[in-house]
Amino acid sequence: MLGSSRVDRVDPRRPAGRRWAPLVAGLALLPALTGLGPLAAHAAASASPGQVHALTPARLVDTRIGLGGIPRLGPRQAVDIPVGGHAGVPRGAAGAVLQVTVANGGAVGWLGVVPAGTATPPGVSTVNWAPGQAVTNLTVVPLAGGAVRAYNDAGTVELIVDVMGWVSAAGAGDGSGGMRPLYPARILDTRSGIGGVSGRLGPGQTLTVPVAGHGNVPAAGAAAAVLNLTVTNSDAWSYLTVYPHGATRPNTSNLNFDAGETRAGRAIAGLGGGAVDVYNAFGSTDLVVDVSGWVSDAGGASAGGGDLTLVAPTRIMDTRTGAGQAAPGRPASLQVAGIAGVPAGGVAAVLVNLTAVGATGWGYLAAFASGDALPLASDLNFAGTGAVPNLAVLPVGADGRANLFPSLASADLLVDLVGWFGAAPAAGPPPGAPVITSADAVVPDRIALVWQPPAGTAGQLAGYTIGVSPGGLQWPVDPGHVSATLTGLACGATYTVTVRASNGAGSGPASAASPAVQLVCPAPPPPTSRSLAVPYYHQQHSLDCEAAALQMALAYRGVSTSQDAILGAMGTDARRPYWDSSGLRWGDPYVAFVGDVNGYEGAGYGASSGYGVYFPPVVAAAQAFGGAVAAAGENVPADQVYQAVLDGHPAVVWVAFNWSPHATGSYLAFDGRRVMYGAPYEHAVTVIGVTPDSVEINNPEYGHEWVSRSTFEASYAMFDRMAVIL
């Protein structure tokens, strides 16, 4: 997920936009999936239990430059990679912690990393990619003869392998390296200021992230931590490097990502002075860091436990085999103890590779122990139909099960078992129950909630989880809040609310339920008000707000079509902008869509830039699909738009994306027209309702919203009151 900690307005239905994506939401908790598919055919031969030791990362293989003496991998090609005795991994190590990156793949493919000498291709995947992608994933692999085997399924691909740590053989070393799984906690979010850092991580910037003493990691005794790093709102291709604070930055990567992508990557990162350093290579990006466990150092080794037993990677869940896609808000309850060589008892956590396949849209996956509440943390982010992997340390509940909770979109889920951790010293008891002090209906679809934290938990909580009944809705909240406004509820319905607190040991009991809260539906609007039942469609491309706004208006008039078809009817002028003596020269939005619909509005006017389209092509597209245009043009008075809505006619209008008036500029179009423009503020929305003092909007980027008439009119004036009324 990448969850936002902004809880003053929490709406499970709010969609992601092109400029801001609220990345956590409350979703219905429905019955768990069952019948999750057979195990892979190959065996899961266990090694003896050992300890995990993090290293300062080091590069072992890079086929792009011949490092390691391994060439670019071809289709169905396997190669053995010596690891023991290299890059800080001692000879005789039982396993290795490896960051595996593929790049420049010529086809859709996957790569499996298994012990050396494996005779047949693995039935599981470590990294999945699409052509041209650079994708990274962490894995922990048993060593056979000190080596691992990498198998490439399809196409040709470059392979980069970085060593992040190693697993000792049983009884080797000083007893350090025991895993201590934790209930996940968010320790950094540059979007909201969690962790004391606000604002994106810039190009070439290194950020020090304190870990010891945060997120229930102890202030002393931790050699390494299990972190999930997620990037979002990125404006360039880049990569992150994570390494112990104070060490020299290595030539390695932990996470590769494209501009605009939300992607997560796991790290078992060594600590330096209790902290890690995170380096961002290019562009700017928001960064979110969740911690889900820590590894003991020699000083904390006396507690014992938490040893890792590695297994040959084994698939233990595949919803494609008959259970159906995991639906938003429907946690898949997965049995992990007592199967595939994992003991039925004495298991603190399992080490798994999670893969989401064939997602219906943008979403995230949260993984947590059975019996715990939904955390404010994520383990996997996905978008579209590709396959996205990430390694996870998954705590096991008392019943031997774990929960996988997908949000916002359906996806097939694959879970590959890599190993399991023995019982470790408890992180302490879970917290007590919070106390709800007030729960009030404030508007027809919202409840304002205030609570008190459990006694004696100041600074020790990982977060809260709000539950709403009926419906089983859940909202995770960061531990710095003791109030929230729950939105997206049904007017006229009666609800009760509970709150659970969580710390490193897990989730405590729920609070006593609040008194019943009835949401009262508003009275019918007066004759001066009307709200049209216009369906909502989120824009499918970065800049096709005009097509999405028209799609909504046409759908209300009974015309069904797609945004791509509308864009085709509008036409596109894909010529690149340039500067000459007259200033900026670009396409004419009065004639066709200008630039790249997947580009970046006004971003340097480069090869990938795009802008938008004005009313004449929108009118032409509406008419091409049989839509009747009642009025269109510039200088359409706001009162005319309001009256049109009262008469049952939705209107596509041009405004500023953030509802604030901005200065506009102009440029000379290729056809000689002087064009007013407002990059990066130009935005189109659909007006679907009006009251005496408010305007109801279907915003292709931000969803359904109400704005005051004064706010609407000031923003509407920015583009000369341009409108198309259907």
Side-chain angles (χ1 to χ4, degrees):
M1 108 195 138
L2 232 148
S4 167
S5 67
R6 297 172 56 188
V7 296
D8 55 321
R9 294 183 63 187
V10 187
D11 188 343
R13 304 168 302 174
R14 187 178 181 188
R18 64 178 174 186
R19 295 181 181 87
W20 161 251
L23 300 174
V24 67
L27 293 162
L29 183 64
L30 300 174
L33 299 178
T34 56
L36 296 175
L39 304 182
H42 65 282
S46 298
S48 58
Q51 295 79 42
V52 177
H53 303 276
L55 295 170
T56 298
R59 182 141 294 175
L60 183 66
V61 171
D62 190 338
T63 62
R64 299 170 301 177
I65 60 174
L67 179 64
I70 294 173
R72 179 179 170 96
L73 291 182
R76 299 194 176 275
Q77 181 180 353
V79 61
D80 286 347
I81 302 171
V83 180
H86 300 270
V89 178
R91 298 184 185 277
V97 183
L98 304 176
Q99 197 80 38
V100 180
T101 304
V102 294
N104 303 325
V108 173
W110 58 267
L111 181 135
V113 182
V114 294
T118 301
T120 58
V124 297
S125 60
T126 302
V127 187
N128 303 74
W129 67 87
Q133 275 189 318
V135 182
T136 301
N137 195 25
L138 188 71
T139 188
V140 185
V141 188
L143 298 178
V148 298
R149 173 166 292 181
Y151 169 81
N152 173 42
D153 178 64
T156 57
V157 70
E158 303 284 6
L159 174 65
I160 301 97
V161 179
D162 298 327
V163 175
M164 302 293 171
W166 57 283
V167 181
S168 62
D174 57 10
S176 63
M179 177 62 66
R180 308 290 188 259
L182 296 171
Y183 178 87
R186 182 143 295 173
I187 60 174
L188 180 79
D189 189 336
T190 62
R191 301 168 304 164
S192 60
I194 292 177
V197 179
S198 296
R200 296 192 295 175
L201 188 62
Q205 182 179 349
T206 298
L207 178 65
T208 298
V209 182
V211 178
H214 300 266
N216 294 294
V217 177
V226 181
L227 306 176
N228 197 56
L229 300 100
T230 309
V231 293
T232 189
N233 301 325
S234 308
D235 59 16
W237 176 88
S238 187
Y239 64 87
L240 298 183
T241 299
V242 183
Y243 55 101
H245 174 59
T248 301
R249 174 166 56 88
N251 182 31
T252 59
S253 65
N254 293 78
L255 183 61
N256 294 72
F257 52 94
D258 291 325
E261 185 177 26
T262 297
R263 181 172 282 272
R266 188 75 54 185
I268 300 177
L271 303 181
V276 297
D277 287 338
V278 182
Y279 168 79
N280 174 48
F282 309 111
S284 296
T285 185
D286 276 309
L287 174 64
V288 177
V289 180
D290 300 324
V291 59
S292 57
W294 58 279
V295 180
S296 65
D297 63 15
S302 59
D307 292 348
L308 172 61
T309 299
L310 291 171
V311 302
T314 305
R315 183 147 294 166
I316 60 173
M317 177 181 178
D318 186 343
T319 62
R320 299 172 302 179
T321 61
Q325 286 194 318
R330 183 189 296 269
S333 179
L334 175 63
Q335 183 71 39
V336 291
I339 64 170
V342 179
V347 178
V350 291
L351 188 63
V352 297
N353 195 53
L354 305 171
T355 305
V357 182
T360 58
W362 183 93
Y364 71 86
L365 182 73
F368 52 101
S370 174
D372 282 339
L374 178 66
L376 180 68
S378 63
D379 291 272
L380 187 66
N381 292 77
F382 50 83
T385 58
V388 182
N390 200 21
L391 190 74
V393 174
L394 183 53
V396 178
D399 58 359
R401 304 182 73 86
N403 288 332
L404 304 177
F405 184 96
S407 80
L408 302 181
S410 297
D412 277 309
L413 300 181
L414 284 59
V415 181
D416 298 329
L417 179 71
V418 177
W420 55 274
F421 295 97
V435 176
I436 293 176
T437 56
S438 65
D440 302 301
V442 289
V443 290
D445 65 344
R446 300 179 189 176
I447 295 176
L449 183 69
V450 180
W451 64 90
Q452 294 177 346
T457 58
Q460 300 175 12
L461 295 180
Y464 299 98
T465 304
I466 301 169
V468 178
S469 181
L473 298 173
Q474 292 190 87
W475 284 270
V477 180
D478 77 74
H481 287 78
V482 290
S483 65
T485 298
L486 313 181
T487 70
L489 303 175
C491 77
T494 299
Y495 296 96
T496 58
V497 183
T498 59
V499 182
R500 295 179 72 182
S502 301
N503 61 15
S507 300
S511 67
S514 71
V517 180
Q518 183 175 15
L519 300 178
V520 179
C521 293
T528 54
S529 300
R530 185 170 184 180
S531 178
L532 306 180
V534 178
Y536 175 75
Y537 296 106
H538 187 265
Q539 62 190 72
Q540 298 300 301
H541 302 277
S542 298
L543 300 179
D544 77 328
C545 53
E546 301 91 351
L550 178 59
Q551 182 187 27
M552 290 185 269
L554 286 172
Y556 179 77
R557 309 305 294 176
V559 178
S560 177
T561 186
S562 70
Q563 292 173 35
D564 285 340
I566 291 172
L567 288 167
M570 291 179 183
T572 300
D573 185 349
R575 289 176 291 178
R576 295 176 56 180
Y578 64 87
W579 294 82
D580 62 14
S581 59
S582 65
L584 176 65
R585 299 295 301 271
W586 211 351
D588 189 344
Y590 291 93
V591 175
F593 188 96
V594 174
D596 183 355
V597 73
N598 290 305
Y600 298 90
E601 196 171 37
Y605 312 111
S608 65
S609 63
Y611 179 58
V613 66
Y614 289 165
F615 74 90
V618 174
V619 170
Q623 293 172 338
F625 293 102
V629 178
E634 293 169 325
N635 295 314
V636 178
D639 286 342
Q640 183 178 348
V641 174
Y642 302 153
Q643 189 58 50
V645 174
L646 292 172
D647 293 338
H649 298 276
V652 176
V653 301
W654 280 254
V655 295
F657 82 92
N658 61 355
W659 296 109
S660 297
H662 300 276
T664 57
S666 68
Y667 67 88
L668 191 64
F670 299 138
D671 60 13
R673 187 199 305 265
R674 177 60 62 178
V675 174
M676 172 194 66
Y677 81 115
Y681 308 109
E682 183 267 335
H683 191 44
V685 300
T686 310
V687 180
I688 67 169
V690 64
T691 71
D693 57 4
S694 300
V695 182
E696 187 180 16
I697 302 294
N698 267 3
N699 190 319
E701 182 175 5
Y702 300 117
H704 176 271
E705 59 185 333
W706 285 89
V707 297
S708 69
R709 282 199 179 195
S710 60
T711 296
F712 171 81
E713 291 169 11
S715 187
Y716 179 50
M718 180 177 164
F719 289 90
D720 288 347
R721 299 175 179 85
M722 192 184 305
V724 176
I725 299 172
L726 269 66

